[in-house]
Amino acid sequence: TQLDQLTQRNAQMVERAVTQAEQLEQRAAHLSRAVSSFALQQGTAEEAMELVSRARAMRGQRARETFVRDITNPSNGFHDRDMYVFALDGAGVYRAFGGKPEKVGSRVQDIPGVDGQALLDAIVAQAELGDGWVEYDIANPVSGAIQAKMSYVVKVDDLYVGCGVYKTVAARQPA
């Protein structure tokens, strides 16, 4: 009799465990659907590198002037949320700026709240050594707050091509 009772209690515990497992599986599926529709408001380091890689690949298919024009053209997708592919010449003049034609011809030295010459020097030095990251502080154009930012930069012909992300998001990315 005791064995029978013990077997019945065990069967009931197994049934409860199965029910709880099924509920947990349903919650996990719901959470997975919710997270899949979530999009970051800011770009990530990997996304910035991908945009620069796309720009570099495009240069191999186009003449230099077409290349800078196509990066700037808003319909070509060289901007995403707070990320913009840029191309600077050695003097710090923007020759291309993803999605913002009005920035072409302006200088990195004239960005408010940034030591533009130091930023240009860092971009040039890094790109001349090889593809890599440059870090700097900049005023966020939306919030006005000074934020740490980093730009992935490469040299393409005589231009320094890059794309930046705010480090607060980049720091959360897996290593």
Side-chain angles (χ1 to χ4, degrees), residues 2-154:
Q2 287 177 338
L3 273 174
D4 189 41
Q5 291 172 345
L6 185 61
T7 303
Q8 288 178 7
R9 279 197 303 266
N10 284 344
Q12 290 170 350
M13 285 191 318
V14 168
E15 285 179 27
R16 280 194 298 264
V18 168
T19 300
Q20 289 175 343
E22 288 171 349
Q23 290 172 346
L24 186 58
E25 185 178 16
Q26 289 172 354
R27 284 190 216 137
H30 177 73
L31 182 59
S32 178
R33 285 190 302 274
V35 169
S36 70
S37 66
F38 177 74
L40 292 175
Q41 293 177 345
Q42 295 179 316
T44 66
E46 290 80 10
E47 290 170 322
M49 291 173 69
E50 177 57 31
L51 283 171
V52 171
S53 178
R54 279 185 44 224
R56 178 186 265 167
M58 184 182 70
R59 172 57 184 102
Q61 304 165 356
R62 291 171 171 76
R64 184 182 183 278
E65 290 309 310
T66 305
F67 167 68
V68 295
R69 186 178 57 244
D70 286 352
I71 286 175
T72 302
N73 185 334
S75 66
N76 287 337
F78 286 100
H79 60 92
D80 181 11
R81 293 161 289 169
D82 61 340
M83 298 180 300
Y84 304 89
V85 173
F86 61 83
L88 293 168
D89 65 18
V93 176
Y94 287 107
R95 297 299 172 193
F97 203 98
K100 292 193 172 188
E102 67 276 10
K103 295 281 282 184
V104 174
S106 66
R107 298 175 343 127
V108 72
Q109 296 92 327
D110 298 330
I111 299 172
V114 174
D115 182 349
Q117 188 58 51
L119 176 55
L120 175 63
D121 292 345
I123 289 170
V124 170
Q126 178 59 60
E128 290 293 338
L129 285 173
D131 304 356
W133 292 93
V134 174
E135 298 182 20
Y136 52 99
D137 291 330
I138 190 167
N140 184 311
V142 176
S143 69
I146 301 297
Q147 286 186 265
K149 195 167 184 178
M150 58 189 203
S151 287
Y152 182 71
V153 295
V154 302

